[in-house]
Amino acid sequence: MSRAAVGTPEATEEADGRVCVRLGDVVLAEYVVEPPTPAGDSPKPYLHPLRTTAGEIVTAVRPHDHTWHNGLQFTMAHLSGENFWGGRTYVRGRGYTPLDNNGTVGHVRWESIDDAGGQCALRHELAWRTASGRRWLTEHRTLRFGDVSLRGGHWTLTWSSRLRNTSGHELRWGSPVTEGRDTAGYGGLFWRGPRSFVGGTVRTSDGKSAADAMGHRAPWLAFTGQHDESLRTSTLLFADSPGNAAHPTAWYVRAEPFPVVSFAATYHSPWLLEPGEELTLTHHVVVIDGAPDAAGLARHAARVLDRQDTD
């Protein structure tokens, strides 16, 4: 029996530096480790495209309205005055302002790339550097791809980031909301969906829709959209690990004018990270063929959240 038949993904490094995660003939994910992103868009690794087990793409890259929205990526809009998000920076009393403060998140070294036990895992070290090149954070990131069910039409990504403050001074991680702009609490793990998902359906664990979920705290949130051409539907379920600080997370989410979701841990208030202090955040993204009902979404969430998060 083939590995794909039993739902085991495999990771391969490509000549251009990408890592592709395959399930048989379907590339479930491409990890763009060192993208040719313009400096003003704050270069950082990202996952794009992400695909369902049926091969449908559920991410977008460099959309014309926000060219720094790239697939699924981990980033911060406000870190002690530095912008690792991309584009302009929101400044209290001035609005979005072009500043020379766009940092980078760069790959340093691979720690391991392996597949065993029905999943594959990518582990690497990254350096968060300011616009002037100072290394403020060292990150050890693990991406796990597993929990694959071909019959059920789903698979799960678990993204874990362990961040250590290497700046020598206190770091303040905030968002445009903490700087004075309402409903713009984005930051952390962030997803940009395909344009056909505009107007999609948002549901939280306690029944909130897109209109009510902005800034709302809930253990999980699901976004369902429809694809052009095939007319199929797909769902992404985003689940916050119970071990995270400030669990359950607040959400930054829009279905219009573009589809986005962020685990917005600093939506309401900033976090302070002392010199040498470490912060670990673990999040799950379940990629699902179709549009499960509320009970089905709850079962997906329970399956991933009941597992012990280990590195």
Side-chain angles (χ1 to χ4, degrees):
M1 183 178 293
S2 70
R3 290 167 64 85
V6 295
T8 300
E10 297 178 282
T12 57
E13 291 186 80
E14 305 298 317
D16 60 4
R18 291 175 301 129
V19 177
C20 291
V21 177
R22 291 180 168 84
L23 183 70
D25 295 332
V26 177
V27 179
L28 294 179
E30 296 182 26
Y31 190 35
V32 184
V33 182
E34 299 181 273
T37 305
D41 285 355
S42 297
K44 64 189 73 67
Y46 58 83
L47 285 163
H48 173 82
L50 290 182
R51 292 184 176 90
T52 67
T53 60
E56 296 286 358
I57 295 175
V58 293
T59 49
V61 68
R62 291 188 61 76
H64 65 77
D65 49 77
H66 293 77
T67 55
W68 48 91
H69 287 186
N70 288 318
L72 186 70
Q73 57 186 358
F74 185 81
T75 184
M76 301 176 185
H78 287 264
L79 186 67
S80 294
E82 292 289 313
N83 177 353
F84 292 92
W85 181 264
R88 298 173 297 166
T89 301
Y90 187 83
V91 179
R92 188 182 296 272
R94 295 169 60 188
Y96 283 101
T97 306
L99 300 175
D100 186 21
N101 69 338
N102 289 100
T104 63
V105 183
H107 168 75
V108 175
R109 65 184 179 90
W110 285 110
E111 295 170 334
S112 65
I113 299 177
D114 56 62
D115 47 86
Q119 67 173 4
C120 68
L122 317 179
R123 298 179 178 87
H124 67 135
E125 178 184 333
L126 304 99
W128 294 57
R129 297 187 184 275
T130 65
S132 63
R134 291 173 293 168
R135 185 164 173 164
W136 272 12
L137 290 169
T138 293
E139 178 184 352
H140 294 277
R141 177 179 298 178
T142 301
L143 306 182
R144 291 189 187 84
F145 304 82
D147 182 39
V148 178
S149 172
L150 299 177
R151 176 176 293 181
H154 65 78
W155 65 274
T156 299
L157 164 70
T158 296
W159 182 307
S160 182
S161 291
R162 177 164 54 90
L163 301 149
R164 181 165 56 89
N165 179 354
T166 54
S167 70
H169 57 82
E170 180 186 80
L171 293 176
R172 180 183 185 271
W173 175 14
S175 67
V177 166
T178 65
E179 302 305 310
R181 183 175 185 265
D182 290 341
T183 71
Y186 48 78
L189 190 60
F190 175 83
W191 167 79
R192 173 68 187 250
R195 203 165 294 279
S196 68
F197 276 31
V198 172
T201 301
V202 172
R203 291 165 287 178
T204 66
S205 55
D206 52 356
K208 301 293 184 183
S209 65
D212 302 312
M214 182 71 82
H216 179 68
R217 295 183 183 277
W220 59 261
L221 177 147
F223 195 113
T224 299
Q226 188 170 22
H227 299 279
D228 291 332
E229 194 171 350
S230 73
L231 304 185
R232 292 171 174 162
T233 56
S234 298
T235 300
L236 288 92
L237 184 142
F238 304 89
D240 190 43
S241 174
N244 290 339
H247 173 82
T249 189
W251 296 99
Y252 172 80
V253 55
R254 294 189 187 279
E256 296 179 355
F258 39 76
V260 292
V261 173
S262 177
F263 293 84
T266 59
Y267 190 106
H268 296 290
S269 58
W271 284 358
L272 301 179
L273 198 60
E274 299 299 326
E277 186 178 357
E278 289 191 348
L279 169 68
T280 298
L281 293 172
T282 299
H283 302 302
H284 309 279
V285 182
V286 187
V287 181
I288 307 166
D289 293 296
D293 60 15
L297 291 173
R299 287 193 295 271
H300 279 292
R303 189 182 66 256
V304 297
L305 292 176
D306 286 347
R307 291 202 314 253
Q308 179 71 29
D309 294 319
T310 58
D311 192 353

